[in-house]
Amino acid sequence: MDAEFLSDGTVWLSPPAVSDIDAITALCQEPSIGAWTTMPVPYHRADAEKFVYDIVGPGWAARSPTWALRGAADGPVVGMIGLSPLYPRRDDETAEIGFWLSRTARGAGLMTRAARLVSTAGLDPAGLGFERLEWRAFTGNHPSAAVARRAGFRYEGLIRGGGVQRGVRRDIWVAGRLRSDPRTPSPDWPADV
């Protein structure tokens, strides 16, 4: 798949480029990003280089796209969002959505907008063509859960010990969105998620 640019006029999504490496490195120093992701902590410039060179480019070629989130078409990176096949040997039609956002960009609805754009592109039969998208987060990541809920993901439950973060097995929440699901916020999430 060729790199795709997405925008709704408020957020702009484009493949992260070599020119973004320093910004990615700086943003990933934010403790809350490392706390909820599996990225290396501490995060070094070499990690950002590996991400751009070894994950982003090959990912686009393998139906695993990553976008840098920007607040303007030519603006700096403020977050990251992507899709990756969840069960590549068993189910080529399911992908996991993952994202993070810088502290300074939070609270303006940018990631919800980005998640809606990426979900639409991911589920489009003429686009990436996935039939199901899955959101997963370590338990306690309420901001991520709020984005998933607003982007139309249906809460499906808790997977005990379902994720590993830097060698520690952790419980995860899971939600899904099918191609046939409405694009509206999902009302059936537990109050404590």
Side-chain angles (χ1 to χ4, degrees):
M1 174 177 187
D2 291 333
E4 186 174 343
F5 297 84
L6 302 172
S7 179
D8 67 358
T10 299
V11 297
W12 285 260
L13 304 178
S14 60
V18 172
S19 59
D20 296 319
I21 288 174
D22 288 333
I24 293 167
T25 304
L27 293 172
C28 290
Q29 303 310 304
E30 168 59 43
S32 65
I33 294 172
W36 298 113
T37 66
T38 58
M39 69 176 52
V41 173
Y43 195 88
H44 301 288
R45 189 175 199 284
D47 298 312
E49 291 171 347
K50 180 175 178 55
F51 171 70
V52 169
Y53 290 118
D54 298 345
I55 295 174
V56 172
W60 277 94
R63 204 170 163 221
S64 185
T66 301
W67 291 269
L69 190 155
R70 303 169 196 282
D74 58 351
V77 174
V78 296
M80 208 64 60
I81 187 166
L83 296 172
S84 59
L86 193 55
Y87 310 108
R89 294 185 188 157
R90 295 182 290 144
D91 179 1
D92 291 337
E93 304 310 318
T94 299
E96 180 180 8
I97 189 169
F99 46 82
W100 58 260
L101 189 64
S102 70
R103 178 179 296 224
T104 59
R106 294 176 193 163
L110 299 179
M111 189 53 76
T112 297
R113 289 174 169 276
R116 288 179 182 149
L117 286 168
V118 168
S119 296
T120 298
L123 294 168
D124 182 353
L128 288 162
F130 291 109
E131 292 181 21
R132 172 182 165 82
L133 298 181
E134 219 169 269
W135 164 87
R136 294 172 172 230
F138 295 119
T139 55
N141 192 345
H142 297 284
S144 183
V147 168
R149 180 183 53 76
R150 289 189 301 259
F153 285 78
R154 299 333 189 222
Y155 181 78
E156 296 173 342
L158 171 81
I159 301 175
R160 295 177 308 121
V164 177
Q165 182 190 45
R166 293 181 278 286
V168 176
R169 188 158 291 282
R170 296 181 62 182
D171 294 346
I172 59 170
W173 290 325
V174 64
R177 183 168 162 193
L178 303 177
R179 187 180 291 160
S180 59
D181 287 341
R183 298 178 183 182
T184 56
S186 176
D188 300 324
W189 283 65
D192 61 339
V193 174

